Amino acid sequence: MINKNTRFLIIGLGLMGGSYAMGLSKKGYHVDAIDLNELSIQYAKEHGIIQNGATFDIQLIKNADIIISGLYPEAMIHWYSTYQKYFKPHTFLTDVSGIKCNVVNQVQSILRDDIEFCASHPMAGKEVSGVTYADHTIFKDANFIITPTKSNTSQAVDTLTQFANILEFKNISILSCEEHDKMIGFVSQLTHAIAVSLMNTSDNPNLVKYTGDSFRDLTRIAKINENLWSELFFLNKDNLIPEIDSFIYQIQKLKNMLETNNKDGLKELFIQSTIRRKRFDQ
Amino acid sequence: MINKNTRFLIIGLGLMGGSYAMGLSKKGYHVDAIDLNELSIQYAKEHGIIQNGATFDIQLIKNADIIISGLYPEAMIHWYSTYQKYFKPHTFLTDVSGIKCNVVNQVQSILRDDIEFCASHPMAGKEVSGVTYADHTIFKDANFIITPTKSNTSQAVDTLTQFANILEFKNISILSCEEHDKMIGFVSQLTHAIAVSLMNTSDNPNLVKYTGDSFRDLTRIAKINENLWSELFFLNKDNLIPEIDSFIYQIQKLKNMLETNNKDGLKELFIQSTIRRKRFDQ
């Protein structure tokens, strides 16, 4: 479990890694960080986000009790694989990856026997990146999802639950990797695919003059980090592709109501979406 | 032009009619209203939103200098057609309809020669309806679009410009009906079609536990008034259907990148949407 002697090490001081570091430091925990960017380390030290940091430092790795990867999935797998030889016995690992099955299976299969990796997903963010935007308050209304596999211990789940409570996440859930990735394929990845596609549907630069809140809301997430999201999309394409198909089926059904002058059918679609959306306002 | 002796008459005290009435009254103008719902009239009188009102009153119609329909398009056409016999000479008419071509042509073709109808569209709203939600501040960040036809006078456009300034709209634009309806087909109707279809894609009631801001933003407008929006969709289906097709083409292109493992192609789509979306933040 986490206590005041626990030494956290964040790998990758981006928006999420930085926000984790900030939240933990504000609660009085010891947080170090490794990031390839010297400026990120300097910034984080100067702003009290971390205590120690370096672009690389074996001693920081050796001192860590809990290592949190803020890296993109493929970079994380590479990093854990390369540097696990320096981990102290029984170091606990977690991550922030937006998809789980493909990542978790790979990490768990390469790790030393005395090291436990239990994956988790903070469902929070902003359309910006980098430690200068770090903000631990993004967790206050957010879900924290723990995705243990059969090789994880109940202590790992307890530790992550404690971790999420320290950072004041609103909800903590436990899902299997498969449940997580299916859910994410719908609520996160499909929504991003839609926003990107809507934004790409028109190249009229004058639209900005006439858009109301609706178009702005639907395209906010079309401003997207292409490296991170292409990685996430491909790692979860087996879930995402069927969700795209289901959505296309629905919008074609709506189009069909227009083409066949089926007013009652169109109203039924509106009534259904209204009933379903109201659940989200409760 | 509008002056302090101008008597406004609002037909239909819903959210938009009520918000217009509130904004005009707050600026010291005389506003009357007709609404089939006696409770709406009572509420508006008690809250200083209107001066006089009734479920029907020929004298209110005869006194009006400017009549604004807050009705749905088909109800408006019916109302103007039926009651124009009571209008004082040179009464000026406008509306709040979300689509224009089909509506404007019909209204202008049935009106007395001395009566001018120039259409306009306040691009503002909320996901609620009724005068109890009236709020003139919804116009402060909104666009006001005037859609004159060749039978409209420049005075009509001036009057509507003055009207929009009184209500403190942020931008005032002049578009042809055709330009307006094509633009609305994209920025408003396609976005609503997408939101409704996304909401209808999954009937999993547990999703609410796991959704972040993205899904909420994309489905906010899936809570939709089925009577108003089915009318608007059908009146503009010649613009909306091709927009739905263009959007489906884009999302199928994205899906195709996943299926063919085209990482660079997917990144290109993300880069394009990011560049386009950034224009909206300026």
Side-chain angles (χ1 to χ4, degrees), chain B residues 235-247:
Chain B
L235 283 166
N236 200 35
K237 67 186 246 186
D238 292 345
N239 283 304
L240 177 53
I241 289 171
E243 295 293 359
I244 293 175
D245 285 335
S246 301
F247 168 74

Side-chain angles (χ1 to χ4, degrees), chain A residues 123 143 202 209-210 216-217 219-220 222-223 237 245 255 258 272-274 276-277 280-281, chain B residues 123 143 200 202 209-210 216-217 219-220 222-224 237 245 255 258 273 276-277 280-281:
Chain A
M123 289 189 70
N143 291 313
S202 172
K209 279 199 293 189
Y210 305 112
R216 286 177 188 275
D217 279 357
T219 56
R220 183 177 59 85
K223 221 168 66 180
K237 66 186 247 188
D245 286 335
K255 189 183 102 171
L258 292 171
Q272 184 183 52
S273 70
T274 300
R276 288 188 183 174
R277 186 56 176 79
F280 288 77
D281 295 336
Chain B
M123 288 188 70
N143 291 312
N200 286 342
S202 171
K209 278 199 293 190
Y210 304 112
R216 285 176 190 274
D217 279 358
T219 55
R220 184 176 59 85
K223 220 168 69 179
I224 191 169
K237 67 186 246 186
D245 285 335
K255 188 183 104 171
L258 291 171
S273 70
R276 289 187 182 174
R277 186 57 176 80
F280 288 79
D281 295 334

Side-chain angles (χ1 to χ4, degrees), chain A residues 19-53:
Chain A
S19 299
Y20 269 0
M22 182 184 278
L24 292 167
S25 291
K26 281 196 187 282
K27 290 287 175 75
Y29 291 94
H30 181 104
V31 185
D32 299 329
I34 289 177
D35 191 288
L36 291 178
N37 187 335
E38 175 62 30
L39 291 174
S40 298
I41 296 292
Q42 271 180 25
Y43 178 93
K45 278 202 275 198
E46 283 165 15
H47 290 77
I49 295 171
I50 58 171
Q51 285 199 256
N52 305 305

Side-chain angles (χ1 to χ4, degrees), chain A residues 75-211:
Chain A
M76 168 176 71
I77 295 164
H78 182 75
W79 199 93
Y80 280 155
S81 166
T82 308
Y83 301 111
Q84 59 171 322
K85 59 189 170 198
Y86 302 121
F87 294 175
K88 111 164 72 162
H90 309 296
T91 302
F92 177 68
L93 314 179
T94 191
D95 69 330
V96 300
S97 306
I99 67 105
K100 293 303 179 196
C101 291
N102 278 322
V103 172
V104 173
N105 294 338
Q106 283 191 71
V107 173
Q108 290 188 337
S109 69
I110 52 148
L111 280 185
R112 280 164 38 194
D113 285 347
D114 68 312
I115 304 290
E116 181 163 4
F117 171 78
C118 186
S120 55
H121 180 192
M123 289 189 70
K126 297 194 211 179
E127 285 70 50
V128 290
S129 57
V131 69
T132 56
Y133 293 101
D135 174 8
H136 65 292
T137 66
I138 60 177
F139 306 130
K140 294 226 176 194
D141 285 318
N143 291 313
F144 185 83
I145 304 179
I146 305 168
T147 57
T149 65
K150 60 185 185 313
S151 57
N152 282 120
T153 61
S154 63
Q155 287 88 337
V157 174
D158 292 345
T159 298
L160 285 172
T161 304
Q162 190 191 358
F163 175 79
N165 280 321
I166 289 167
L167 290 168
E168 301 184 19
F169 277 87
K170 191 166 108 188
N171 292 308
I172 302 169
S173 309
I174 298 171
L175 292 178
S176 70
C177 292
E178 292 75 18
E179 288 169 330
H180 172 275
D181 286 0
K182 181 161 172 41
M183 180 272 292
I184 284 295
F186 181 70
V187 299
S188 171
Q189 296 191 324
L190 175 60
T191 54
H192 282 78
I194 289 170
V196 165
S197 302
L198 174 58
M199 199 69 241
N200 286 341
T201 298
S202 172
D203 61 357
N204 180 351
N206 292 320
L207 282 178
V208 64
K209 279 199 293 189
Y210 305 112
T211 50

